[in-house]
Amino acid sequence: MFRPKIPTMPAPTGLGTPPAVVEPTAITPNAGTPPVTPTAPTPVRPTVQLAPGTVLALVGGGTAVVLVLGAVLVSLLLAVAITGASVAVCAVVLRSLLTSDAKRR
């Protein structure tokens, strides 16, 4: 009952193709063509040269983007924290109102 059953490989069905016979061919070197000398590839697009002012502008722009994203994310986190705290205060006030109402009866 607890012994694994190993499946048997099914027999192939259909017609099988006979193995192809490979005949060796003789290689004859072609001495008539001279060897090709490699040439340096031409650049497809021109290289970009950055001036010091351009580098400073890129660094300043990147810093501004990081600071703006950081401020947005921190403000979102602060909004979530304030919302959670206000919901907790509302829950405490409702609980105290319900327990004081139950004590009066």
Coordinates of all heavy atoms in Angstrom, one line a residue:
M1 N 0.8 -1.2 0.0 CA 0.0 0.0 0.0 C 0.9 1.3 0.0 O 0.6 2.2 -0.7 CB -0.9 0.0 1.2 CG -1.8 1.2 1.3 SD -2.9 0.9 2.7 CE -3.1 2.5 3.3
F2 N 1.9 1.2 0.8 CA 2.8 2.4 0.9 C 4.0 2.4 -0.1 O 4.8 3.2 0.0 CB 3.3 2.6 2.3 CG 2.2 2.9 3.3 CD1 1.8 2.0 4.2 CD2 1.6 4.1 3.2 CE1 0.8 2.3 5.1 CE2 0.6 4.4 4.1 CZ 0.2 3.5 5.1
R3 N 4.0 1.4 -1.0 CA 5.1 1.3 -1.9 C 4.8 2.2 -3.1 O 3.7 2.2 -3.7 CB 5.3 -0.1 -2.4 CG 5.7 -1.0 -1.3 CD 6.0 -2.4 -1.8 NE 7.4 -2.6 -1.6 CZ 8.0 -3.6 -2.0 NH1 7.4 -4.6 -2.7 NH2 9.3 -3.8 -1.7
P4 N 5.7 3.0 -3.6 CA 5.4 3.9 -4.7 C 5.3 3.1 -6.0 O 6.0 2.1 -6.2 CB 6.6 4.8 -4.8 CG 7.7 4.1 -4.2 CD 7.1 3.2 -3.1
K5 N 4.4 3.5 -6.9 CA 4.2 2.9 -8.2 C 5.0 3.7 -9.2 O 4.6 4.8 -9.5 CB 2.7 2.8 -8.5 CG 2.0 1.9 -7.6 CD 0.5 1.8 -8.0 CE -0.2 0.9 -7.0 NZ -1.7 0.9 -7.3
I6 N 6.0 3.1 -9.8 CA 6.8 3.8 -10.8 C 6.1 3.5 -12.1 O 5.9 2.4 -12.5 CB 8.2 3.2 -10.8 CG1 8.8 3.5 -9.4 CG2 9.1 3.9 -11.8 CD1 10.2 2.8 -9.2
P7 N 5.8 4.6 -12.9 CA 5.2 4.4 -14.2 C 6.2 3.8 -15.2 O 7.4 4.1 -15.1 CB 4.7 5.8 -14.6 CG 5.6 6.7 -13.8 CD 6.0 6.0 -12.5
T8 N 5.7 3.0 -16.1 CA 6.5 2.4 -17.1 C 6.5 3.4 -18.3 O 5.5 4.1 -18.6 CB 6.0 1.1 -17.5 OG1 4.7 1.2 -18.0 CG2 6.0 0.1 -16.4
M9 N 7.6 3.4 -19.0 CA 7.7 4.2 -20.2 C 6.8 3.6 -21.3 O 6.9 2.4 -21.6 CB 9.1 4.3 -20.7 CG 10.1 5.1 -19.9 SD 9.6 6.8 -19.9 CE 10.0 7.2 -21.6
P10 N 6.0 4.5 -21.9 CA 5.1 3.9 -23.0 C 5.9 3.6 -24.2 O 6.9 4.3 -24.5 CB 4.1 5.0 -23.2 CG 4.8 6.3 -22.8 CD 5.7 5.9 -21.7
A11 N 5.5 2.6 -25.0 CA 6.2 2.3 -26.2 C 5.9 3.4 -27.3 O 4.8 3.9 -27.3 CB 5.6 0.9 -26.7
P12 N 6.9 3.7 -28.1 CA 6.6 4.7 -29.1 C 5.6 4.2 -30.1 O 5.5 3.1 -30.5 CB 8.0 4.9 -29.8 CG 8.8 3.7 -29.4 CD 8.2 3.2 -28.1
T13 N 4.8 5.2 -30.5 CA 3.7 4.8 -31.5 C 4.1 5.5 -32.8 O 4.8 6.5 -32.9 CB 2.4 5.3 -31.0 OG1 2.4 6.7 -30.8 CG2 2.0 4.6 -29.7
G14 N 3.5 5.1 -33.9 CA 3.7 5.6 -35.2 C 5.0 5.1 -35.9 O 5.7 4.2 -35.4
L15 N 5.2 5.6 -37.1 CA 6.4 5.2 -37.8 C 7.6 5.9 -37.4 O 7.6 7.1 -37.3 CB 6.1 5.4 -39.3 CG 5.0 4.6 -39.9 CD1 4.8 5.0 -41.4 CD2 5.2 3.1 -39.8
G16 N 8.7 5.2 -37.2 CA 9.9 5.8 -36.9 C 10.7 6.1 -38.1 O 10.7 5.3 -39.1
T17 N 11.5 7.1 -38.2 CA 12.4 7.4 -39.3 C 13.7 6.7 -39.1 O 14.3 6.7 -38.0 CB 12.6 8.9 -39.5 OG1 13.2 9.4 -38.3 CG2 11.3 9.6 -39.7
P18 N 14.2 6.1 -40.2 CA 15.5 5.4 -40.1 C 16.6 6.5 -39.9 O 16.5 7.6 -40.4 CB 15.7 4.7 -41.4 CG 14.8 5.4 -42.3 CD 13.6 6.0 -41.5
P19 N 17.7 6.1 -39.3 CA 18.8 7.1 -39.1 C 19.4 7.5 -40.4 O 19.5 6.6 -41.3 CB 19.8 6.4 -38.2 CG 19.5 5.0 -38.3 CD 18.0 4.9 -38.6
A20 N 19.7 8.7 -40.6 CA 20.3 9.2 -41.9 C 21.8 8.9 -41.9 O 22.5 8.9 -40.9 CB 20.1 10.7 -42.0
V21 N 22.2 8.5 -43.1 CA 23.6 8.2 -43.3 C 24.4 9.4 -43.6 O 24.0 10.1 -44.6 CB 23.8 7.1 -44.4 CG1 25.2 6.8 -44.6 CG2 23.0 5.9 -44.0
V22 N 25.4 9.7 -42.9 CA 26.2 10.9 -43.1 C 27.5 10.5 -43.8 O 28.2 9.6 -43.3 CB 26.6 11.6 -41.8 CG1 27.4 12.8 -42.0 CG2 25.3 12.0 -41.0
E23 N 27.7 11.1 -44.9 CA 28.9 10.7 -45.7 C 30.0 11.8 -45.5 O 29.7 13.0 -45.6 CB 28.6 10.6 -47.2 CG 27.7 9.4 -47.5 CD 27.4 9.3 -49.0 OE1 28.0 10.1 -49.8 OE2 26.5 8.5 -49.3
P24 N 31.2 11.5 -45.2 CA 32.2 12.5 -45.0 C 32.6 13.2 -46.4 O 32.5 12.5 -47.4 CB 33.4 11.7 -44.5 CG 33.2 10.3 -45.0 CD 31.7 10.1 -45.0
T25 N 32.9 14.4 -46.3 CA 33.2 15.2 -47.5 C 34.7 15.7 -47.3 O 35.1 15.9 -46.2 CB 32.3 16.4 -47.7 OG1 32.3 17.2 -46.6 CG2 30.9 15.9 -48.0
A26 N 35.3 15.8 -48.4 CA 36.7 16.3 -48.4 C 36.7 17.8 -48.4 O 36.0 18.5 -49.1 CB 37.5 15.8 -49.6
I27 N 37.5 18.4 -47.5 CA 37.6 19.9 -47.4 C 38.8 20.3 -48.3 O 39.9 19.9 -48.1 CB 37.8 20.3 -46.0 CG1 36.6 19.9 -45.1 CG2 38.1 21.8 -45.9 CD1 36.8 20.1 -43.6
T28 N 38.5 21.2 -49.2 CA 39.6 21.8 -50.1 C 39.8 23.2 -49.7 O 38.8 24.0 -49.8 CB 39.2 21.6 -51.5 OG1 38.0 22.3 -51.8 CG2 39.1 20.2 -52.0
P29 N 41.0 23.6 -49.3 CA 41.2 25.1 -49.0 C 41.2 25.9 -50.2 O 41.7 25.5 -51.3 CB 42.6 25.1 -48.3 CG 43.2 23.8 -48.8 CD 42.2 22.8 -49.1
N30 N 40.6 27.1 -50.1 CA 40.5 28.0 -51.2 C 41.6 29.0 -51.1 O 41.5 29.9 -50.2 CB 39.1 28.6 -51.3 CG 38.9 29.4 -52.5 OD1 39.8 29.5 -53.4 ND2 37.7 30.0 -52.7
A31 N 42.6 28.9 -51.9 CA 43.8 29.8 -51.8 C 43.6 31.0 -52.7 O 44.5 31.9 -52.7 CB 45.0 29.0 -52.1
G32 N 42.6 31.2 -53.4 CA 42.4 32.2 -54.4 C 42.0 33.6 -53.8 O 42.3 34.6 -54.3
T33 N 41.4 33.6 -52.6 CA 41.0 34.9 -52.0 C 41.9 35.3 -50.9 O 42.3 34.5 -50.1 CB 39.6 34.7 -51.4 OG1 39.6 33.7 -50.4 CG2 38.6 34.3 -52.5
P34 N 42.3 36.6 -50.9 CA 43.2 37.1 -49.9 C 42.4 37.2 -48.6 O 41.2 37.4 -48.6 CB 43.6 38.4 -50.4 CG 42.5 38.9 -51.3 CD 42.0 37.6 -51.9
P35 N 43.1 37.2 -47.4 CA 42.4 37.3 -46.2 C 41.9 38.8 -46.0 O 42.5 39.7 -46.5 CB 43.5 37.0 -45.1 CG 44.8 37.3 -45.8 CD 44.5 36.9 -47.3
V36 N 40.7 38.9 -45.4 CA 40.1 40.1 -45.2 C 40.7 40.8 -43.9 O 40.8 40.2 -42.9 CB 38.6 39.9 -45.0 CG1 37.9 41.3 -44.7 CG2 38.0 39.2 -46.2
T37 N 41.1 42.1 -44.1 CA 41.6 42.8 -42.9 C 40.4 43.5 -42.2 O 39.6 44.2 -42.9 CB 42.6 43.8 -43.4 OG1 42.0 44.7 -44.3 CG2 43.8 43.2 -44.0
P38 N 40.4 43.4 -40.9 CA 39.3 44.0 -40.2 C 39.4 45.5 -40.1 O 40.5 46.0 -40.0 CB 39.3 43.4 -38.8 CG 40.7 43.0 -38.6 CD 41.2 42.6 -40.0
T39 N 38.3 46.2 -40.3 CA 38.4 47.7 -40.3 C 37.7 48.1 -39.0 O 36.8 47.5 -38.5 CB 37.7 48.3 -41.5 OG1 36.3 47.8 -41.5 CG2 38.4 47.9 -42.8
A40 N 38.0 49.3 -38.5 CA 37.4 49.8 -37.3 C 36.0 50.3 -37.6 O 35.8 50.9 -38.6 CB 38.2 51.0 -36.7
P41 N 35.0 49.9 -36.8 CA 33.6 50.3 -37.1 C 33.5 51.8 -36.8 O 34.1 52.4 -35.9 CB 32.8 49.5 -36.1 CG 33.7 49.2 -35.0 CD 35.1 49.1 -35.6
T42 N 32.7 52.4 -37.6 CA 32.4 53.8 -37.5 C 31.3 54.0 -36.4 O 30.3 53.2 -36.4 CB 31.9 54.5 -38.8 OG1 30.8 53.7 -39.3 CG2 33.0 54.3 -39.9
P43 N 31.4 55.0 -35.6 CA 30.3 55.2 -34.6 C 29.0 55.6 -35.2 O 29.0 56.4 -36.1 CB 30.9 56.3 -33.7 CG 31.9 57.0 -34.5 CD 32.4 56.0 -35.5
V44 N 28.0 55.0 -34.7 CA 26.6 55.2 -35.3 C 26.1 56.6 -34.8 O 25.6 57.3 -35.6 CB 25.7 54.1 -34.8 CG1 24.3 54.4 -35.3 CG2 26.1 52.8 -35.3
R45 N 26.4 57.0 -33.6 CA 25.9 58.3 -33.1 C 27.1 59.0 -32.5 O 28.0 58.3 -32.0 CB 24.8 58.1 -32.1 CG 25.1 57.2 -31.0 CD 23.8 57.0 -30.1 NE 24.2 56.2 -29.0 CZ 23.5 56.0 -27.9 NH1 22.4 56.6 -27.8 NH2 23.9 55.3 -26.9
P46 N 27.1 60.3 -32.5 CA 28.2 61.0 -31.9 C 28.3 60.9 -30.4 O 27.3 60.7 -29.7 CB 28.0 62.5 -32.3 CG 26.5 62.5 -32.5 CD 26.1 61.1 -33.0
T47 N 29.5 61.0 -29.9 CA 29.7 60.9 -28.4 C 29.2 62.2 -27.8 O 29.4 63.3 -28.4 CB 31.2 60.7 -28.1 OG1 32.0 61.7 -28.7 CG2 31.7 59.4 -28.7
V48 N 28.7 62.1 -26.6 CA 28.2 63.2 -25.9 C 29.2 63.8 -25.0 O 29.8 63.0 -24.2 CB 26.9 62.9 -25.1 CG1 26.4 64.0 -24.3 CG2 25.8 62.3 -26.0
Q49 N 29.6 65.0 -25.1 CA 30.5 65.7 -24.2 C 29.8 66.6 -23.3 O 29.1 67.5 -23.8 CB 31.6 66.4 -25.1 CG 32.4 65.4 -25.9 CD 33.5 66.1 -26.7 OE1 33.6 67.3 -26.6 NE2 34.3 65.4 -27.4
L50 N 30.0 66.4 -22.0 CA 29.3 67.3 -21.1 C 30.2 68.4 -20.6 O 31.3 68.1 -20.2 CB 28.8 66.4 -19.9 CG 27.8 65.3 -20.2 CD1 27.5 64.5 -19.0 CD2 26.5 65.9 -20.8
A51 N 29.7 69.6 -20.5 CA 30.4 70.7 -20.0 C 30.3 70.7 -18.5 O 29.3 70.1 -18.0 CB 29.9 72.0 -20.6
P52 N 31.1 71.3 -17.7 CA 31.0 71.4 -16.3 C 29.6 72.0 -15.8 O 29.0 71.5 -14.9 CB 32.1 72.2 -15.8 CG 33.2 72.1 -16.9 CD 32.4 71.9 -18.1
G53 N 29.1 73.0 -16.6 CA 27.9 73.6 -16.2 C 26.7 72.6 -16.4 O 25.8 72.5 -15.6
T54 N 26.8 71.8 -17.4 CA 25.8 70.7 -17.7 C 25.8 69.7 -16.6 O 24.7 69.3 -16.2 CB 26.0 70.1 -19.1 OG1 26.1 71.1 -20.0 CG2 24.9 69.2 -19.4
V55 N 27.0 69.3 -16.2 CA 27.0 68.3 -15.1 C 26.4 68.8 -13.8 O 25.7 68.1 -13.1 CB 28.5 67.8 -14.9 CG1 28.6 67.0 -13.7 CG2 29.0 67.1 -16.1
L56 N 26.7 70.1 -13.5 CA 26.2 70.7 -12.3 C 24.6 70.8 -12.4 O 23.9 70.6 -11.4 CB 26.8 72.1 -12.1 CG 28.2 72.1 -11.6 CD1 28.7 73.5 -11.4 CD2 28.3 71.4 -10.2
A57 N 24.1 71.1 -13.6 CA 22.7 71.2 -13.8 C 22.0 69.9 -13.6 O 21.0 69.7 -13.0 CB 22.4 71.8 -15.2
L58 N 22.7 68.8 -14.1 CA 22.1 67.4 -14.0 C 22.1 67.0 -12.5 O 21.1 66.4 -12.0 CB 22.9 66.5 -14.8 CG 22.7 66.5 -16.3 CD1 23.6 65.6 -17.0 CD2 21.3 66.2 -16.7
V59 N 23.2 67.3 -11.8 CA 23.3 66.9 -10.4 C 22.2 67.7 -9.6 O 21.5 67.2 -8.7 CB 24.7 67.2 -9.8 CG1 24.7 67.1 -8.3 CG2 25.7 66.2 -10.5
G60 N 22.1 69.0 -9.9 CA 21.1 69.8 -9.2 C 19.7 69.4 -9.5 O 18.8 69.3 -8.6
G61 N 19.4 69.0 -10.7 CA 18.1 68.5 -11.1 C 17.8 67.2 -10.4 O 16.7 67.0 -9.9
G62 N 18.8 66.3 -10.3 CA 18.6 65.0 -9.7 C 18.3 65.2 -8.2 O 17.5 64.5 -7.6
T63 N 19.1 66.1 -7.6 CA 18.9 66.4 -6.1 C 17.5 67.0 -5.9 O 16.8 66.6 -4.9 CB 20.0 67.4 -5.7 OG1 21.3 66.8 -6.0 CG2 19.9 67.6 -4.2
A64 N 17.1 67.9 -6.7 CA 15.7 68.4 -6.6 C 14.6 67.4 -6.7 O 13.7 67.4 -5.9 CB 15.5 69.5 -7.6
V65 N 14.8 66.5 -7.6 CA 13.8 65.4 -7.8 C 13.8 64.5 -6.5 O 12.7 64.2 -6.0 CB 14.1 64.6 -9.0 CG1 13.3 63.3 -9.1 CG2 13.8 65.4 -10.3
V66 N 14.9 64.2 -6.0 CA 15.0 63.3 -4.8 C 14.4 64.0 -3.6 O 13.6 63.4 -2.8 CB 16.5 62.9 -4.5 CG1 16.6 62.3 -3.1 CG2 17.0 61.9 -5.6
L67 N 14.7 65.3 -3.5 CA 14.1 66.1 -2.3 C 12.6 66.2 -2.5 O 11.9 66.1 -1.5 CB 14.7 67.5 -2.3 CG 16.2 67.5 -1.8 CD1 16.7 68.9 -1.8 CD2 16.3 66.9 -0.4
V68 N 12.1 66.4 -3.7 CA 10.6 66.6 -3.8 C 9.9 65.2 -3.6 O 8.9 65.2 -2.9 CB 10.3 67.1 -5.2 CG1 8.8 66.9 -5.6 CG2 10.7 68.5 -5.4
L69 N 10.5 64.2 -4.1 CA 9.9 62.8 -3.8 C 9.9 62.5 -2.3 O 9.0 61.9 -1.8 CB 10.6 61.8 -4.7 CG 10.3 61.7 -6.1 CD1 11.1 60.6 -6.8 CD2 8.8 61.4 -6.3
G70 N 11.0 62.8 -1.7 CA 11.1 62.6 -0.3 C 10.1 63.3 0.5 O 9.5 62.8 1.4
A71 N 9.9 64.6 0.2 CA 8.9 65.4 0.9 C 7.5 64.9 0.7 O 6.7 64.8 1.6 CB 9.0 66.9 0.4
V72 N 7.2 64.4 -0.6 CA 5.9 63.9 -0.8 C 5.7 62.6 0.0 O 4.6 62.4 0.6 CB 5.7 63.6 -2.4 CG1 4.5 62.8 -2.6 CG2 5.6 65.0 -3.1
L73 N 6.7 61.7 0.0 CA 6.5 60.5 0.7 C 6.4 60.7 2.2 O 5.6 60.0 2.9 CB 7.7 59.5 0.4 CG 7.7 59.0 -1.1 CD1 8.9 58.1 -1.3 CD2 6.5 58.2 -1.4
V74 N 7.2 61.6 2.7 CA 7.1 61.9 4.2 C 5.7 62.5 4.5 O 5.1 62.2 5.5 CB 8.2 62.8 4.6 CG1 8.0 63.4 6.0 CG2 9.5 62.1 4.6
S75 N 5.2 63.4 3.7 CA 3.9 64.0 3.9 C 2.8 62.9 3.9 O 1.8 62.9 4.7 CB 3.6 65.1 3.0 OG 3.5 64.6 1.7
L76 N 2.9 61.9 3.0 CA 1.9 60.9 2.9 C 2.0 60.0 4.2 O 1.0 59.6 4.7 CB 2.2 60.0 1.7 CG 1.7 60.6 0.3 CD1 2.2 59.7 -0.8 CD2 0.2 60.8 0.3
L77 N 3.2 59.7 4.6 CA 3.4 58.9 5.8 C 2.8 59.7 7.0 O 2.1 59.1 7.9 CB 4.8 58.6 6.1 CG 5.2 57.8 7.3 CD1 4.5 56.4 7.1 CD2 6.7 57.6 7.4
L78 N 3.0 61.0 7.1 CA 2.5 61.8 8.2 C 1.0 61.8 8.1 O 0.3 61.8 9.2 CB 3.1 63.2 8.1 CG 2.7 64.2 9.2 CD1 3.3 63.6 10.5 CD2 3.3 65.5 8.9
A79 N 0.4 61.9 7.0 CA -1.1 61.9 6.8 C -1.7 60.6 7.3 O -2.7 60.6 8.0 CB -1.5 62.2 5.4
V80 N -1.0 59.5 7.0 CA -1.5 58.2 7.5 C -1.4 58.1 9.0 O -2.3 57.6 9.7 CB -0.7 57.0 6.8 CG1 -1.0 55.7 7.4 CG2 -1.1 57.0 5.3
A81 N -0.3 58.6 9.6 CA -0.1 58.5 11.0 C -1.2 59.4 11.7 O -1.7 59.0 12.7 CB 1.3 59.0 11.4
I82 N -1.4 60.6 11.2 CA -2.4 61.5 11.8 C -3.8 60.9 11.7 O -4.6 60.9 12.7 CB -2.4 62.9 11.2 CG1 -1.1 63.6 11.6 CG2 -3.6 63.7 11.6 CD1 -0.9 64.9 10.8
T83 N -4.1 60.3 10.6 CA -5.4 59.6 10.4 C -5.6 58.4 11.4 O -6.6 58.3 12.0 CB -5.6 59.1 9.0 OG1 -5.4 60.2 8.1 CG2 -7.0 58.5 8.8
G84 N -4.5 57.6 11.6 CA -4.6 56.5 12.5 C -4.8 57.0 13.9 O -5.5 56.4 14.7
A85 N -4.1 58.1 14.3 CA -4.2 58.6 15.7 C -5.6 59.2 15.9 O -6.2 59.0 17.0 CB -3.2 59.7 15.9
S86 N -6.2 59.8 14.9 CA -7.5 60.4 15.1 C -8.6 59.3 15.2 O -9.5 59.4 16.0 CB -7.9 61.4 14.0 OG -7.9 60.7 12.8
V87 N -8.4 58.2 14.4 CA -9.3 57.1 14.5 C -9.2 56.4 15.9 O -10.2 56.1 16.5 CB -9.1 56.1 13.4 CG1 -9.8 54.8 13.6 CG2 -9.5 56.7 12.1
A88 N -8.0 56.4 16.4 CA -7.8 55.8 17.8 C -8.5 56.6 18.8 O -9.1 56.1 19.8 CB -6.3 55.6 18.0
V89 N -8.3 58.0 18.7 CA -9.0 58.9 19.7 C -10.5 58.7 19.6 O -11.2 58.7 20.6 CB -8.5 60.3 19.5 CG1 -9.3 61.3 20.2 CG2 -7.0 60.5 19.8
C90 N -11.0 58.7 18.4 CA -12.5 58.5 18.3 C -12.9 57.2 18.9 O -14.0 57.1 19.5 CB -12.9 58.6 16.8 SG -12.7 60.2 16.1
A91 N -12.2 56.1 18.7 CA -12.5 54.8 19.3 C -12.6 54.9 20.8 O -13.5 54.4 21.5 CB -11.6 53.8 18.8
V92 N -11.6 55.6 21.4 CA -11.5 55.7 22.9 C -12.7 56.5 23.4 O -13.3 56.2 24.4 CB -10.2 56.4 23.3 CG1 -10.2 56.8 24.8 CG2 -9.0 55.4 23.0
V93 N -13.0 57.6 22.7 CA -14.2 58.5 23.1 C -15.5 57.7 23.0 O -16.3 57.7 23.9 CB -14.2 59.8 22.3 CG1 -15.5 60.5 22.5 CG2 -13.0 60.6 22.6
L94 N -15.7 57.0 21.9 CA -16.9 56.2 21.8 C -17.0 55.1 22.8 O -18.1 54.8 23.4 CB -17.0 55.6 20.4 CG -17.3 56.5 19.2 CD1 -17.2 55.8 17.9 CD2 -18.7 57.0 19.4
R95 N -15.9 54.5 23.1 CA -15.9 53.4 24.2 C -16.2 54.0 25.5 O -17.0 53.4 26.3 CB -14.5 52.8 24.2 CG -14.4 51.7 25.2 CD -13.0 51.1 25.1 NE -12.8 50.1 26.2 CZ -11.7 49.6 26.6 NH1 -10.6 49.9 25.9 NH2 -11.6 48.7 27.5
S96 N -15.7 55.2 25.8 CA -16.0 55.7 27.1 C -17.4 56.2 27.2 O -18.1 56.1 28.2 CB -15.1 56.9 27.4 OG -15.3 58.0 26.5
L97 N -18.0 56.7 26.1 CA -19.4 57.1 26.1 C -20.3 55.9 26.3 O -21.3 55.9 27.0 CB -19.7 57.8 24.8 CG -19.2 59.2 24.6 CD1 -19.5 59.7 23.2 CD2 -19.9 60.1 25.7
L98 N -19.9 54.8 25.6 CA -20.8 53.6 25.7 C -20.7 52.9 27.1 O -21.7 52.5 27.6 CB -20.4 52.5 24.6 CG -20.7 52.9 23.2 CD1 -20.2 51.9 22.2 CD2 -22.2 53.1 23.0
T99 N -19.5 52.9 27.7 CA -19.4 52.4 29.1 C -20.1 53.2 30.1 O -20.7 52.7 31.0 CB -17.9 52.1 29.4 OG1 -17.2 53.3 29.3 CG2 -17.3 51.1 28.6
S100 N -20.0 54.6 29.9 CA -20.6 55.4 30.9 C -22.2 55.4 30.8 O -22.9 55.4 31.7 CB -20.2 56.9 30.7 OG -20.6 57.4 29.5
D101 N -22.7 55.1 29.6 CA -24.1 55.0 29.3 C -24.6 53.7 30.0 O -25.7 53.6 30.5 CB -24.4 55.0 27.9 CG -25.9 55.0 27.6 OD1 -26.6 55.7 28.3 OD2 -26.3 54.4 26.6
A102 N -23.7 52.6 29.9 CA -24.1 51.3 30.5 C -24.1 51.4 32.0 O -24.9 50.7 32.7 CB -23.2 50.2 29.9
K103 N -23.2 52.2 32.6 CA -23.1 52.3 34.1 C -24.3 53.1 34.6 O -24.8 52.8 35.8 CB -21.9 53.0 34.5 CG -20.6 52.2 34.3 CD -19.4 53.0 34.8 CE -18.1 52.2 34.6 NZ -17.0 53.0 35.0
R104 N -24.9 54.0 33.9 CA -26.0 54.8 34.4 C -27.3 53.9 34.5 O -28.2 54.3 35.2 CB -26.3 55.9 33.4 CG -25.5 57.2 33.9 CD -26.0 58.4 33.1 NE -25.0 58.7 32.1 CZ -25.1 59.4 31.1 NH1 -26.3 59.9 30.8 NH2 -24.1 59.6 30.2
R105 N -27.4 52.9 33.7 CA -28.7 52.1 33.7 C -28.8 51.2 34.9 O -28.2 50.7 35.6 CB -28.8 51.3 32.5 CG -29.0 52.2 31.3 CD -29.2 51.3 30.0 NE -29.4 52.2 28.9 CZ -29.6 51.7 27.7 NH1 -29.7 50.5 27.5 NH2 -29.8 52.6 26.7

